[in-house]
Amino acid sequence: MRAGGEGRGRGLLGVVSGNTPEARGRVLDLLRRASPDALVLSVSVHGDGDAAGRYPFVQRFAVGGDERQRASLSQVATGDPAVIVRQALGAIARAAPCAHVVLALPDNVDALPFLAELWRSPLGRTPLSDYYDLAPLAVGVDPGRLLSDLRCVHRAAHLFGDHPQAVPLTLAEAAARQVEAAHVMVLRDGGVEDDGRLDGSRALLAHLNPSALVLLDGEERDSALLTPLTRPGTGWAAAGPADRLDVVAPALRRRGIDRGVASVLWRSRRPLHPQRLAESLPQVMPAVVRSRGYLWVATHPDAVISWRSAGRHLELRQAGGWLEDGDTGAWRAASSERRTLASWHWDDRYGERRNEIVFIGAELDADRLRAALDTAVLDDGELALGADYWADLPDPLLGTATQDPGAEP
């Protein structure tokens, strides 16, 4: 039984991923050293799934724990990966309550949306939160692979997340999402010849995910550093992983410059002119490795527009609607963090609408970047003309606002 589990009636669920099998395996080795009695449930998912109803093939392989836990599992199944893994974890918990289980995810699973779906409470089913507390999400990182993938926008990775079908993303986007989801990262040391890449990768990771703990190979010999991996994670909100998926979230950025890597935050409380935004991109994006945020675009005033770039690929899409005064259902559905932010930033006329993007890159010119985006917002005259005028502005990025902002993008 894990420490802290007594009297609570719940076990501990740790989650591990990695950008190479070796990097993931290294984190699993550390976890098994810190918690020798833990059961490791390794999952692999084969096939993309499709709209025609063909589901992927999911394999599960258990190591460690006790015989009751391993006997509760079937090894293979076809179906929704999140449903299959949820059933397996429930069976383990019923066979041996208060156990420590480590879920090892393959690199074709998008960890954060997958966890959000896993943690969701299906109608009539016992939620996993009744069986387990979540430990910090640990990710193994091979620095050479990370830097290579973050430059790759011409190849697609098909990742499973909160749907039975895999979603195609660029390798750069997939690599960025993996490290941004982590609470703890273990950076593998490739030897003397990789010193530059190791230091550069550590600096980049500190900006991609400034709230995460980054460990170098060798530092984990200090057992105190491994203790957080065997305790419930303080990084999870009370509502679980879904809170971290809210598109309107506070910007996480690291102040200062590390080995040339810097984060630049841009904010504005005015809607963006889409034509001028498009024209500003050549001044904004050249040195950017990663950027994330959300926009208030004049031609789509009721829609939150998500902004994501990785490498040289930029994606803008509608990602739900802004919170409105009196829309009780939307406020209840939003994360507690978002509700707090909306209250802080509330405008009597425009509500929570605003722009906020964090840019990460090497040798970024912060003043030039912010100035280029500042020229893209509506001026006083355009703002006074109102939404009817804004709707007719040329929009080369998003086109005409025809989609319901609350619909699935």
Side-chain angles (χ1 to χ4, degrees):
M1 181 181 292
R2 67 177 176 91
E6 295 85 355
R8 295 187 54 157
R10 290 197 295 267
L12 183 70
L13 178 61
V15 185
V16 170
S17 67
N19 66 345
T20 66
E22 294 79 12
R24 182 185 65 169
R26 180 60 177 151
V27 181
L28 287 173
D29 288 343
L30 298 178
L31 270 169
R32 295 196 72 188
R33 181 194 305 173
S35 183
D37 295 331
L39 179 141
V40 177
L41 178 63
S42 295
V43 176
S44 63
V45 185
H46 306 278
D48 292 339
D50 56 40
R54 291 186 290 270
Y55 285 99
F57 182 64
V58 182
Q59 290 181 294
R60 290 147 295 164
F61 183 71
V63 175
D66 61 36
E67 183 59 35
R68 291 174 300 163
Q69 295 171 314
R70 296 192 298 273
S72 68
L73 297 174
S74 59
Q75 289 190 336
V76 296
T78 299
D80 183 335
V83 171
I84 291 170
V85 172
R86 187 190 297 123
Q87 291 171 344
L89 291 170
I92 292 171
R94 289 188 293 272
C98 301
H100 183 186
V101 179
V102 178
L103 177 62
L105 297 177
D107 58 7
N108 65 339
V109 168
D110 194 358
L112 198 51
F114 184 81
L115 276 178
E117 178 62 20
L118 202 64
W119 220 241
R120 185 178 61 83
S121 301
L123 187 63
R125 302 277 185 174
T126 302
L128 283 184
S129 57
D130 280 8
Y131 294 130
Y132 299 100
D133 291 318
L134 272 174
L137 171 57
V139 175
V141 180
D142 180 287
R145 177 67 176 271
L146 173 69
L147 298 177
S148 173
D149 284 351
L150 285 173
R151 291 190 293 265
C152 185
V153 297
H154 58 278
R155 289 175 53 202
H158 290 78
L159 301 189
F160 291 91
D162 54 355
H163 296 287
Q165 287 75 41
V167 176
L169 303 170
T170 66
L171 283 182
E173 177 68 26
R177 288 191 188 198
Q178 185 176 55
V179 298
E180 287 166 350
H183 296 106
V184 177
M185 289 178 275
V186 177
L187 192 58
R188 297 188 72 225
D189 188 348
V192 175
E193 67 278 8
D194 285 343
D195 278 350
R197 287 194 302 185
L198 188 68
D199 290 343
S201 296
R202 190 171 197 180
L204 182 59
L205 291 173
H207 286 269
L208 288 171
N209 191 344
S211 64
L213 172 66
V214 181
L215 301 177
L216 292 180
D217 248 352
E219 290 180 338
E220 76 284 346
R221 292 173 189 150
D222 182 352
S223 59
L225 293 175
L226 298 179
T227 300
L229 298 177
T230 62
R231 297 289 187 272
T234 57
W236 297 114
D243 272 10
R244 293 184 65 189
L245 293 173
D246 199 326
V247 67
V248 180
L252 294 177
R253 65 181 176 121
R254 184 179 178 91
R255 298 183 183 274
I257 300 175
D258 305 280
R259 297 185 63 87
V261 181
S263 299
V264 176
L265 172 64
W266 177 74
R267 286 174 170 154
S268 175
R269 290 306 306 261
R270 291 180 175 234
L272 282 155
H273 189 299
Q275 178 72 56
R276 294 204 294 269
L277 175 60
E279 293 169 352
S280 74
L281 294 180
Q283 287 75 48
V284 171
M285 299 304 295
V288 174
V289 175
R290 175 63 161 167
S291 60
R292 292 184 66 189
Y294 49 87
L295 305 178
W296 173 21
V297 179
T299 48
H300 297 67
D302 296 327
V304 179
I305 305 299
S306 71
W307 167 298
R308 286 180 183 265
S309 79
R312 298 174 63 87
H313 178 77
L314 171 64
E315 178 187 84
L316 302 176
R317 66 166 60 195
Q318 295 189 41
W322 298 103
L323 295 177
E324 302 288 356
D325 194 16
D327 189 348
T328 305
W331 282 83
R332 286 177 177 169
S335 68
S336 58
E337 191 170 49
R338 179 176 178 182
R339 293 194 298 269
T340 301
L341 285 170
S343 299
W344 285 349
H345 294 284
W346 195 260
D347 179 90
D348 288 342
R349 182 173 181 183
Y350 297 118
E352 71 162 342
R353 290 169 177 80
R354 61 192 186 278
N355 304 289
E356 189 167 292
I357 311 173
V358 171
F359 298 88
I360 300 166
E363 310 300 336
L364 290 180
D365 187 333
D367 292 337
R368 180 182 178 186
L369 187 155
R370 292 192 182 106
L373 289 170
D374 286 342
T375 64
V377 301
L378 299 188
D379 60 31
D380 289 345
E382 292 166 329
L383 192 64
L385 291 171
D388 289 342
Y389 167 79
W390 306 344
D392 294 328
L393 294 173
D395 190 344
L397 297 174
L398 297 165
T400 304
T402 57
Q403 181 180 340
D404 177 1
E408 184 73 21

